[in-house]
Amino acid sequence: MAAWSSSPSLRHLLLLRPRLPLGPTCLAGSFSRRHIHSHSRRRLFSSASSSTLTHGDEASTHVDAGGVVDVNPPRGTRDFPPEDMRLRTWLFDQFREVSRLMAFEEVDFPVLESEALFIRKAGEEITQQLYNFEDKGGRRVVLRPEITPSLARLVIKQGKSVSLPLKWFTIGQCWRYERMTRGRRREHYQWNMDIFGVPKVLAEAELLQAIVLLFQRLGITSSDVGIRVSSRKVLQAVLNMYSIPEHLFTEVCIIVDKLGKLTREEIEKELMSTGLSSEAVEGIIEVLSLKSLSKLEEVLGSGVEAVADLKKLFSFAEQYGYADWICFDASVVRGLAYYTGIVFEAFDREGKLRAICGGGRYDRLLSTFGSEDIPACGFGFGDAVIVELLKEKGLLPDMSRQIDDIVFPLDEELEGPASSIASSLRKKGRAVDLVADKRLKWVFKHAERINASRLILVGNSEWERGMIRVKILSTREEFEVKAGDLE
């Protein structure tokens, strides 16, 4: 290829070719033309692929008679090509920044855990959704379906080597074999924040602020999202009113957590099957239908611990400034057996999506693993539903690729100097793509694709004078600069 100074046509191209803006990048779950073509191409590999999502479907990855592997990932799981990975990284950065603002420390655990950590009282839906198996050493293991038990295990392991309170967060992958719907997959990533060693509802107030901070950073408002709040102690107080045995508490919680998913008649039938009287069933459903804290106080009395906790939490919400985000809803009990007090879940006010996140207090979890209990509370916030909500609200950021510089040698013998220039810029913190063996027209198009800020051309005549040519792609400004002075 001719040197820059001896090729007027190249100079003409540089002057006339502006940097063109790129359209929004296709993000996870959207259907671009590229995705459609990709899907068609995948079907060429295997005619046995199916778009039907069912709970009992077969694994999608297989080898056909011709020995060609279906390139789709297993049903309910995802690949992350670069554009989707940029979105995931951006979202995780938001999780981490909120955690930093709240003075939480990051921890992590293995995705593969002991099965015993997740086998609890019968009736929990999660115990029916485990990816569990026996490893080659004969040990029963599981791909974790949630993170809190792993966290509890680490707290027990650390013992007295750490001082309370602990404020820890993690971002980890979870697995559940469940029926897939919008925002629900068989694997997802989850942001967890947990506090150990704070018995007062100030801990829950802090967690709720973290959730609200995250929403605000994403551009979501209290008119888009609300957070329903209640307490497991509400249900406990109702059971006490009807002298219902303590051992039925967890089973009743799991049933009433289906309120809104099953009809009232179905809920009543399931409750009756546990041995509860029709009067008790009626009383439970009536109380759990309350949406007013003052009416709850009328029914249970002001001396009940659940009422006092909730009133204190709503008082904190006023002080934190997020009272308009939260509302009392006695039907919120959460489906996991270990919750003991305040529980909450975020929802989109239009009702198009499943719960965005949820959590609560679990003061007695550690004793189920044979350790001494520590007051604790936390929440889990998945990646899938929040992305769906951001799409719904038009709040997804531009995830197009961005590179600072493209360095392009105009002749093969200049590849060495070009690599030296690229190395120098990278050491200065600039993102640099070194391109060789391409036509200049391709380099321009490549610059548009990756949103490069500058094009740096290394040509013979300039290099002989110790110079290189720089083009600012957004303004089409171009100039020569000494190679050692390039910043």
Side-chain angles (χ1 to χ4, degrees):
M1 186 181 292
W4 162 259
S5 58
S6 62
S7 179
S9 61
L10 294 183
R11 182 186 295 274
H12 182 70
L13 274 172
L14 278 174
L15 291 172
L16 297 181
R17 183 87 178 193
R19 175 182 173 185
L20 300 178
L22 290 177
T25 304
C26 177
L27 298 167
S30 60
F31 293 91
S32 68
R33 184 177 301 165
R34 180 185 59 77
H35 279 76
I36 293 171
H37 291 334
S38 176
H39 179 69
S40 300
R41 186 171 64 251
R42 287 170 180 161
R43 289 183 65 88
L44 293 174
F45 283 95
S46 172
S47 60
S49 298
S50 170
S51 60
T52 304
L53 304 181
T54 61
H55 183 79
D57 55 20
E58 297 294 328
S60 65
T61 302
H62 62 278
V63 180
D64 68 11
V68 179
V69 176
D70 180 357
V71 296
N72 291 288
R75 299 280 174 107
T77 67
R78 297 167 287 176
D79 292 319
F80 287 89
E83 62 271 26
D84 295 344
M85 196 65 195
R86 289 194 289 271
L87 173 59
R88 193 180 96 179
T89 299
W90 169 81
L91 181 61
F92 288 9
D93 286 346
Q94 301 301 315
F95 292 158
R96 287 192 168 92
E97 179 60 14
V98 170
S99 301
R100 185 191 68 82
L101 294 172
M102 300 295 298
F104 278 61
E105 292 186 287
E106 187 166 10
V107 294
D108 200 6
F109 328 95
V111 173
L112 188 69
E113 287 277 17
S114 167
E115 183 184 62
L117 201 61
F118 297 92
I119 300 295
R120 296 185 294 266
K121 295 181 180 179
E124 277 190 318
E125 187 179 38
I126 197 172
T127 62
Q128 310 303 315
Q129 299 172 342
L130 298 179
Y131 279 89
N132 50 347
F133 54 95
E134 188 174 286
D135 70 9
K136 293 182 179 180
R139 293 170 289 266
R140 295 295 304 175
V141 292
V142 61
L143 295 177
R144 65 181 178 209
E146 55 158 334
I147 292 175
T148 303
S150 297
L151 174 72
R153 178 183 57 73
L154 182 58
V155 171
I156 294 170
K157 180 183 176 183
Q158 294 289 95
K160 295 183 179 180
S161 66
V162 292
S163 60
L164 300 177
L166 296 177
K167 297 170 68 177
W168 286 353
F169 83 95
T170 192
I171 303 169
Q173 194 176 33
C174 299
W175 296 79
R176 296 186 189 184
Y177 191 86
E178 58 184 336
R179 182 178 176 274
M180 290 171 288
T181 59
R182 185 183 181 191
R184 183 192 294 265
R185 299 184 177 91
R186 291 176 179 171
E187 59 82 27
H188 69 279
Y189 285 86
Q190 187 166 299
W191 172 44
N192 269 47
M193 294 184 75
D194 296 84
I195 301 174
F196 279 81
V198 179
K200 298 180 179 179
V201 296
L202 179 61
E204 287 93 328
E206 284 276 280
L207 293 175
L208 289 172
Q209 190 193 18
I211 293 170
V212 171
L213 273 176
L214 188 278
F215 285 139
Q216 290 171 332
R217 289 180 63 86
L218 300 182
I220 294 168
T221 69
S222 58
S223 61
D224 301 319
V225 165
I227 304 174
R228 299 187 183 99
V229 179
S230 188
S231 173
R232 280 283 182 93
K233 295 175 183 177
V234 170
L235 183 58
Q236 186 63 67
V238 177
L239 298 187
N240 291 342
M241 287 171 58
Y242 292 97
S243 301
I244 297 170
E246 177 74 24
H247 71 271
L248 289 178
F249 177 72
T250 298
E251 191 173 354
V252 171
C253 280
I254 291 168
I255 294 171
V256 297
D257 184 54
K258 300 173 186 176
L259 282 168
K261 304 169 188 173
L262 301 179
T263 66
R264 176 167 177 153
E265 291 73 22
E266 289 171 320
I267 295 293
E268 288 176 349
K269 184 177 180 181
E270 287 198 26
L271 288 173
M272 293 284 285
S273 69
T274 67
L276 271 61
S277 67
S278 58
E279 181 185 11
V281 169
E282 184 71 19
I284 289 170
I285 292 178
E286 287 302 317
V287 170
L288 295 186
S289 299
L290 295 177
K291 309 294 182 186
S292 164
L293 188 51
S294 60
K295 288 186 178 180
L296 178 72
E297 188 172 6
E298 290 176 10
V299 173
L300 299 183
S302 58
V304 173
E305 191 175 7
V307 174
D309 287 348
L310 288 163
K311 289 173 71 174
K312 186 69 174 176
L313 181 61
F314 276 82
S315 175
F316 277 129
E318 292 284 352
Q319 299 298 317
Y320 277 95
Y322 58 73
D324 55 329
W325 288 80
I326 71 172
C327 59
F328 172 71
D329 185 340
S331 68
V332 177
V333 295
R334 304 293 295 163
L336 296 171
Y338 52 69
Y339 288 122
T340 58
I342 297 289
V343 285
F344 51 85
E345 59 186 27
F347 65 99
D348 74 295
R349 294 192 185 273
E350 293 184 2
K352 295 181 178 180
L353 302 169
R354 61 188 294 255
I356 303 167
C357 67
R361 180 162 289 275
Y362 52 95
D363 286 347
R364 296 192 292 271
L365 179 59
L366 299 193
S367 62
T368 64
F369 303 134
S371 183
E372 183 179 345
D373 278 322
I374 299 173
C377 59
F379 69 77
F381 194 121
D383 67 326
V385 180
I386 188 61
V387 169
E388 292 295 327
L389 180 63
L390 292 172
K391 286 180 191 175
E392 194 79 31
K393 301 298 179 182
L395 294 172
L396 282 173
D398 180 10
M399 287 289 113
S400 47
R401 187 180 179 192
Q402 293 184 333
I403 297 294
D404 293 322
D405 301 318
I406 293 178
V407 176
F408 180 54
L410 293 173
D411 286 292
E412 185 177 350
E413 62 267 23
L414 294 172
E415 289 178 359
S419 63
S420 176
I421 292 167
S423 177
S424 176
L425 290 170
R426 288 164 180 162
K427 290 174 183 177
K428 294 174 182 177
R430 295 186 67 82
V432 180
D433 188 12
L434 177 61
V435 177
D437 296 325
K438 294 289 184 181
R439 293 182 180 276
L440 190 60
K441 182 178 180 181
W442 183 94
V443 175
F444 276 119
K445 290 182 178 179
H446 181 59
E448 294 167 9
R449 284 193 298 268
I450 66 176
N451 284 329
S453 299
R454 300 188 303 187
L455 176 58
I456 298 165
L457 293 168
V458 186
N460 276 315
S461 62
E462 290 88 359
W463 188 250
E464 288 173 359
R465 293 182 282 112
M467 307 292 284
I468 53 177
R469 181 163 291 275
V470 178
K471 181 172 180 65
I472 308 299
L473 294 171
S474 60
T475 63
R476 292 189 290 177
E477 175 191 3
E478 61 177 279
F479 53 89
E480 287 186 1
V481 63
K482 288 184 178 180
D485 294 341
L486 186 62
E487 296 291 335

